[in-house]
Amino acid sequence: MFEYDTQYMYEALLLAREAIRFGDVPIGAVVVAPYGEIIGVGYNQVEQHASQDFHAELVALRAAGIGKQDWRLDGCTLYVTLEPCIMCMGALLLSRVSRLVYGSDSPLYGYTHTIIEPEHLYGGFLKNVTRGVLKDDSEALLQNFFAGVR
C-alpha cells in the first residue's frame, strides 16, 4: 500500500455517498493518472439510469478516457470502494489500467470469486491489486445503506 492510497480512497468514499441520493448502492470510483492527478470519477448510477453499464468503475473509466482523449489508461490506478464485479474487471483490464485498489471485498459479485486471473489477461497490463484500503469505512457505508433499505 502506498501512503497516498487512503487519500484517493477517501475521494472514492465521498463519491459513493452521492449514489445514495439517487437510491443507488453506495460505490465510488476514482481513476488516477501516473503523475497523481484524478482524471476520472464515478459513482454507482445503476438505478438512476436503469442500466448495469453505470457501475461506478465504468463511469470513472469512461470519464478518464474522455478527459485523456484515449481509452488506453496505461499507468493509471483505479480506486473503488467495493471489489469490482467481473464486468467491471473486464473493462478495467481492457482499458489497460495498471493498478487496482479497492476497499471492501464483494462476497457475492466480486471478480475474485470467478476463475479469472486478471494479471494474465489482455496483455498483463494490471500489475498490482491492493485490497482492504479503508475497508471498514467502505463496509460501514454499505451496511448502513442496506440496513435502511430493509
Side-chain angles (χ1 to χ4, degrees), residues 10 12 35-36 40 52 54 72 77 95 97 105 126 133 136-137 146:
Y10 275 124
Y35 47 87
Q52 287 296 336
F54 281 89
R72 296 169 192 87
T77 300
S95 298
V97 169
D105 292 331
L126 183 63
V133 176
D136 293 342
D137 294 347
F146 285 115

Side-chain angles (χ1 to χ4, degrees), residues 37-115:
E37 180 184 354
I38 294 175
I39 60 171
V41 299
Y43 57 86
N44 202 19
Q45 300 173 35
V46 171
E47 298 297 332
Q48 185 180 359
H49 295 285
S51 177
Q52 287 296 336
D53 66 341
F54 281 89
H55 280 199
E57 300 94 316
L58 300 181
V59 174
L61 290 170
R62 190 177 301 119
I66 290 169
K68 192 177 174 197
Q69 296 184 339
D70 191 350
W71 60 268
R72 296 169 192 87
L73 301 175
D74 308 60
C76 292
T77 300
L78 174 72
Y79 292 85
V80 62
T81 57
L82 184 67
E83 175 187 353
C85 70
I86 193 156
M87 174 182 68
C88 291
M89 181 53 90
L92 183 150
L93 291 168
L94 288 168
S95 298
R96 300 181 179 178
V97 169
S98 298
R99 184 166 180 252
L100 166 65
V101 178
Y102 66 89
S104 178
D105 292 331
S106 179
L108 293 177
Y109 302 110
Y111 80 92
T112 57
H113 303 286
T114 67
I115 57 170

